[in-house]
Amino acid sequence: MVTFEGLPGAVAVSHLTVYDWPAPDGLRGGTPHLHLTCSEGYVVVGGTGSVQTLPATGFRQTPLAPGALVWFTPGTIHRLVNEDGLRVVVLMRDSGLPEAGDAVLTLPPALLAGPDVYGAAVALPPDGAEAEREHAARARRDLAVEGFLALREAADAGDPEPLAAFHRAAAALVRPRVGEWRARWELGAAATAAQLGALGRGELGHLAEARVHEQRPVERGRFGMCGRLDVYGV
């Protein structure tokens, strides 16, 4: 039996310094998006701000300050707002599936028409200069804010169809990757099932394979969806 050596529960962790770029509506912060399968949590370690969320139950804004712990389930559109130096430790289920595509930005509907159109709209230059990559990250953020504000306006007016249409488009975009995600899940979070089965049979081999791991960030300051990321290779 292979012992999973990632973080407990196959959680992925990163440190996020939230963007302070003004958006079209005057707020500073990150790119609105949702996850199709991953729950996400924030542990606030510095600064202040809020997280705007839009599930099917309606819009909500939750204040963020040091010590706050906020989390939400798949399908929750979320947008981080930076009021003063907001920094959070981000916890993601299933070993970072968002880095494998489990995140869809709230772009205007025309840009959700298919993988090629969407991919071109959200891509950052792979080898561009810092200023070029920042410009691209900011442009896609502004497009997502435009789409998010339209979804929020419809929800506030009691019209659920635009949000439902976004859910359908997001699901269609990620469907080709579900097999890849299942394989990642089986090697990570599902490892507990194998250990439970072994214990039930009286097999204790995985206990003798115990190890201790330590790691520093493998990359600092990456342009992410919501800010600059320090990421770990787990």
Side-chain angles (χ1 to χ4, degrees), residues 74-202:
T76 303
I77 295 174
H78 48 288
R79 175 196 186 188
L80 279 169
V81 176
N82 184 356
E83 295 174 359
D84 183 18
L86 183 60
R87 295 184 295 108
V88 302
V89 172
V90 181
L91 307 174
M92 297 295 309
R93 197 173 79 192
D94 298 332
S95 300
L97 275 183
E99 299 301 322
D102 179 41
V104 176
L105 278 56
T106 55
L107 302 184
L111 297 177
L112 302 171
D116 292 342
V117 174
Y118 177 81
V122 302
L124 301 182
D127 301 311
E130 178 86 356
E132 183 182 4
R133 292 176 60 79
E134 178 177 323
H135 176 77
R138 190 165 180 168
R140 73 178 183 183
R141 189 280 309 268
D142 289 350
L143 281 171
V145 168
E146 176 186 338
F148 172 75
L149 293 176
L151 293 173
R152 178 183 170 184
E153 181 179 3
D156 288 346
D159 181 4
E161 176 52 29
L163 180 57
F166 174 71
H167 288 170
R168 292 192 295 269
L173 285 171
V174 306
R175 189 170 296 120
R177 311 187 77 161
V178 169
E180 171 194 345
W181 296 351
R182 180 176 295 278
R184 183 186 290 249
W185 172 78
E186 289 173 347
L187 291 172
T192 300
Q195 293 172 353
L196 290 172
L199 287 172
R201 297 187 298 272

Side-chain angles (χ1 to χ4, degrees), residues 10-99:
V11 168
V13 63
S14 59
H15 178 264
L16 174 67
T17 300
V18 180
Y19 292 135
D20 62 0
W21 308 324
D25 62 350
L27 298 178
R28 297 178 296 147
T31 307
H33 61 281
L34 61 64
H35 303 293
L36 281 295
T37 64
C38 286
S39 296
E40 180 172 5
Y42 299 142
V43 181
V44 182
V45 295
T48 58
S50 63
V51 57
Q52 297 183 341
T53 51
L54 184 60
T57 52
F59 176 80
R60 175 179 173 181
Q61 182 156 308
T62 304
L64 299 177
L69 172 61
V70 179
W71 70 95
F72 38 86
T73 56
T76 303
I77 295 174
H78 48 288
R79 175 196 186 188
L80 279 169
V81 176
N82 184 356
E83 295 174 359
D84 183 18
L86 183 60
R87 295 184 295 108
V88 302
V89 172
V90 181
L91 307 174
M92 297 295 309
R93 197 173 79 192
D94 298 332
S95 300
L97 275 183
E99 299 301 322

